[in-house]
Amino acid sequence: MTKSELKALALSLPKAELHLHIEGSLEPELMFTLAKRNGIRLSYASVEEIRQAYQFQNLQEFLDLYYQGMSVLQTEQDFYDLTWAYLQRIHQEGVVHTEIFFDPQGHLERGISLETQIQGIHKALVNGRSELGISFKLIMSFLRHLSEQSAFETLALAMPWLSVIDGVGLDSSEVGHPPEKFTRVFAKCRELGLRVTAHAGEEGPPEYVWQALDLLKVQRIDHGNRALEDSALVAWLVEEQIPLTMCPLSNLKLCVIKDVADHPILRSLEMGLLVTVNSDDPAYFGGYMMDNFNALIDALPLTEDHVRQLAKNSFVGSWLSAETDHSKPNPK
Ligand code: HPA
Ligand code: ZN
């Protein structure tokens, strides 16, 4: 198959997105609209100026702008509009299931209640399910640069919302904030029946991936690129078929890789790892699901089988139950 045939195939296959921060889908145009609606002054004069500011040397440089950008989200309607815009976009790309993160602490510390956040996001997700046919899971992510106590306080606030929260994650500044810091809060989450995942091995060492598995007992790893530095860890991830939710354009923008041609996803596939393609923070990193697939197809010698495997892995690695398994061929 030619590269353009592979891209058409990738577009046509049903796909699930498993690593997406909803606040990272805030496009500069919507940021401006919401700033105006809420009477917030942005430090940028135009949409172009925002886009030009999105040059990052590392994760922290991105996070600084990401937390600043989300300050325009004030009302339930703002969270709804943000989520609805993302769903409409992925609907055009063949994404039929999405498991999205939100960062409650990033809003609570600005005085925005959990109710405002969850109601807005969840109403849009429910609407997306009925109008666009996109199924979903909602993942509450703890900010790892904050304390264990803050994570416990957030979990306490979330108790009335457990029926709409499917799982918890761990994100933000990785190095210096190892998974072990959150061992007790993740144990509590598991006791409550929540599913668990964590960012690990994006900038942090393979040891952080081990900790996420052994101490947090996660069901998948977000990113996980640096797991490939540890052959015993790779063997374990292959054996257990632990999903790794990789994000090629994110890795490029945050200088985790120098070139998409260096991305470990193809090597990972060939080693039998359960890797998936995701967009992470599409408004900041240059694209949604298909931009990520297309970049991989352009830069790496992917075959038809690889593309099919990646689409299939996205459902295998998801938290969908068997009844709604979109990876099964559609009986026509
Ligand atoms: N890594 C860590 N934290 C994040 C990210 C990421 O890629 N995106 C949003 N928060
Ligand atoms: Zn992420």
Side-chain angles (χ1 to χ4, degrees):
M1 271 193 180
T2 64
K3 289 190 184 289
S4 64
E5 286 168 338
L6 288 172
K7 290 178 188 177
L9 173 68
L11 177 61
S12 73
L13 291 169
K15 295 170 291 297
E17 177 141 73
L18 308 181
H19 185 159
L20 179 283
H21 303 265
I22 197 62
E23 298 90 343
S25 73
L26 177 61
E27 291 289 345
E29 289 80 3
L30 185 57
M31 196 188 288
F32 255 88
T33 303
L34 298 184
K36 210 182 219 175
R37 189 152 98 188
N38 295 321
I40 290 171
R41 273 182 66 92
L42 287 175
S43 52
Y44 309 100
S46 66
V47 162
E48 294 68 44
E49 212 177 280
I50 300 187
R51 288 223 159 81
Q52 273 160 21
Y54 291 173
Q55 312 285 344
F56 315 111
Q57 302 287 331
N58 52 46
L59 174 60
Q60 192 58 50
E61 287 188 10
F62 153 69
L63 289 170
D64 292 344
L65 292 199
Y66 168 81
Y67 295 123
Q68 196 181 309
M70 66 170 79
S71 68
V72 301
L73 298 166
Q74 297 279 329
T75 66
E76 181 183 316
Q77 187 67 44
D78 299 341
F79 285 91
Y80 181 96
D81 292 348
L82 171 73
T83 309
W84 184 242
Y86 163 70
L87 292 168
Q88 284 179 299
R89 174 63 192 251
I90 63 169
H91 182 55
Q92 299 163 10
E93 302 198 354
V95 177
V96 297
H97 176 72
T98 189
E99 304 194 349
I100 70 172
F101 295 112
F102 74 112
D103 282 330
Q105 290 152 298
H107 310 299
L108 288 167
E109 58 185 17
R110 303 184 290 107
I112 313 297
S113 74
L114 197 58
E115 176 173 4
T116 297
Q117 305 170 36
I118 294 183
Q119 290 275 34
I121 295 169
H122 191 255
K123 282 180 186 169
L125 289 169
V126 168
N127 206 27
R129 185 171 58 198
S130 59
E131 289 196 17
L132 308 172
I134 299 173
S135 54
F136 63 85
K137 302 283 175 195
L138 184 57
I139 310 172
M140 181 173 85
S141 204
F142 297 116
L143 299 182
R144 68 201 305 157
H145 68 275
L146 300 180
S147 64
E148 179 197 40
Q149 188 192 338
S150 173
F152 267 119
E153 286 166 8
T154 307
L155 181 59
L157 288 175
M159 294 305 286
W161 300 101
L162 289 191
S163 64
V164 297
I165 296 172
D166 297 285
V168 297
L170 186 64
D171 64 3
S172 193
S173 322
E174 186 180 9
V175 175
H177 301 286
E180 68 179 338
K181 184 172 158 186
F182 298 94
T183 302
R184 291 185 295 189
V185 75
F186 268 61
K188 179 74 187 161
C189 290
R190 284 185 279 107
E191 249 174 65
L192 290 167
L194 291 161
R195 299 191 194 242
V196 289
T197 183
H199 284 51
E202 180 185 16
E203 288 185 343
E207 167 61 16
Y208 285 18
V209 179
W210 279 119
Q211 285 187 14
L213 295 166
D214 292 343
L215 304 179
L216 306 189
K217 305 192 193 305
V218 296
Q219 293 160 320
R220 62 188 185 219
I221 296 286
D222 298 309
H223 295 296
N225 300 45
R226 290 196 59 194
L228 275 80
E229 295 168 21
D230 179 337
S231 56
L233 177 55
V234 169
W236 177 255
L237 294 167
V238 170
E239 164 118 359
E240 295 294 315
Q241 286 292 284
I242 306 286
L244 304 182
T245 64
M246 288 184 161
C247 307
L249 290 176
S250 163
N251 295 156
L252 185 66
K253 281 294 264 190
L254 300 186
C255 305
V256 169
I257 53 170
K258 286 204 189 73
D259 197 294
V260 182
D262 301 328
H263 199 274
I265 199 161
L266 178 55
R267 273 180 286 141
S268 304
L269 269 178
E270 288 177 340
M271 289 189 287
L273 286 161
L274 196 116
V275 286
T276 65
V277 180
N278 306 274
S279 69
D280 208 5
D281 299 281
Y284 290 86
F285 299 151
Y288 291 77
M289 175 68 87
M290 279 310 301
D291 298 298
N292 278 273
F293 262 101
N294 292 342
L296 291 174
I297 290 167
D298 280 331
L300 291 166
L302 288 184
T303 65
E304 177 180 349
D305 283 350
H306 292 133
V307 170
R308 289 188 186 279
Q309 188 71 49
L310 287 168
K312 180 169 178 231
N313 285 356
S314 72
F315 294 98
V316 177
S318 79
W319 293 341
L320 277 169
S321 59
E323 316 91 84
T324 43
D325 187 352
H326 295 277
S327 66
K328 300 257 162 64
N330 213 346
K332 285 233 170 77

